[in-house]
Amino acid sequence: MWGGRKLSSCGNRFVGGLRSRCWGTRAEGARLSSSAENQFSWTPQTNPWVFSEYSMMWFKSYRITFACLSRMKIYRYPWTRLYGTSQTTVDSSEIKTFVALAHRWWDEQGVYAPLHSMNDLRVPFIRDNLLKTVAHHQPGKPLSGMKILDVGCGGGLLTEPLGRLGASVIGIDPVDENIKTAQHHKSFDPVLEKRIEYRACSLEEIVEETAETFDAVVASEVIEHVIDLETFIQCCYQVLKFGGSLFITTVNKTQLSYALGIVFSEQIAGIVPKGTHTWEKFVSPEKLESILESNGLSVHTVAGMLYNPFSGYWHWSENTSLNYAAHAVKSMRQEPPVPAGFVFTGKTEELHDKDSINPGVQEELKK
């Protein structure tokens, strides 16, 4: 048993240290130990978003217990945290490659020729899946009234066709030169001037201002370039309306994709500029589906895509070992998952860990 006076004095120092040091940046948890003289030693290793790790911080003094709990209530829970500019998914090492090619986006016979011809598949793929969610649409402008975010839009190769289908589209790209090219090309079409907006920024930079704004998010040939796929998917989830769609096209992570996508396409045939892709960043459909499902996005479709470098055309395939397209839908609003050790009832929180709480503390909490 610890003495009340000594415990109170140490407890105040403990809570002060907790407030000033524990709730800062990232945390892995904390350890608490006592010496023979009943002195506390606090070793913070921070992660403020995982509250279940603090369920063991219980003492025989109710004052310290309640001080810890009341401090925890003011912080945002992990499933509601908005990812901002402090945590970026943009790989700065790849920026130079795209800066050098920014002026070549609209050369249909150049290095971006495969992306031009990919529109024959990806535009109908996006259009047809979105039309399943509406009862009526305008002839010639089937996506009228829909708001779409094109992430990693480049020079606007996919943004413009979606705008011509009637959608209101925001195209974003972290490469300023890409946005300048897209803006210049859009200026030739007065109709697109009203429907398309371009911004030189990353997805993380607009999460807070565009939360639950878009009917669809498109990330075509993008996720194989990001440095944190999980965070990227979470940001996509946050900017989507409930019931909104996420469309992804990317490259599978297989031996065949390495041989054809990097060795042949980049190093031998020169179809794609050298250094465009990193095989380690390729994602298998299984891994992508797992990440999507664990972040509130229900996968509806995964379809293989094959490119013929001799004809210059794409076609759908049951084989997903090279390229594939995925369509996922943001699940309708549900109660967020409860971290281990916490039970939420209305606006109150209670720790629910019988192994670490004595009966007296449980009774006090219920009051």
Side-chain angles (χ1 to χ4, degrees), residues 33 44 50 72 94 109 148 154 186 264 330:
S33 63
V50 185
M72 292 164 69
E94 295 198 15
Q109 305 302 320
I148 299 176
K186 181 190 72 168
F264 176 77
K330 181 174 180 176

Side-chain angles (χ1 to χ4, degrees), residues 257-278:
S257 69
Y258 177 79
L260 295 182
I262 295 180
V263 177
F264 176 77
S265 298
E266 295 187 16
Q267 301 176 9
I268 298 177
I271 299 173
V272 179
K274 290 183 179 180
T276 300
H277 295 111
T278 303

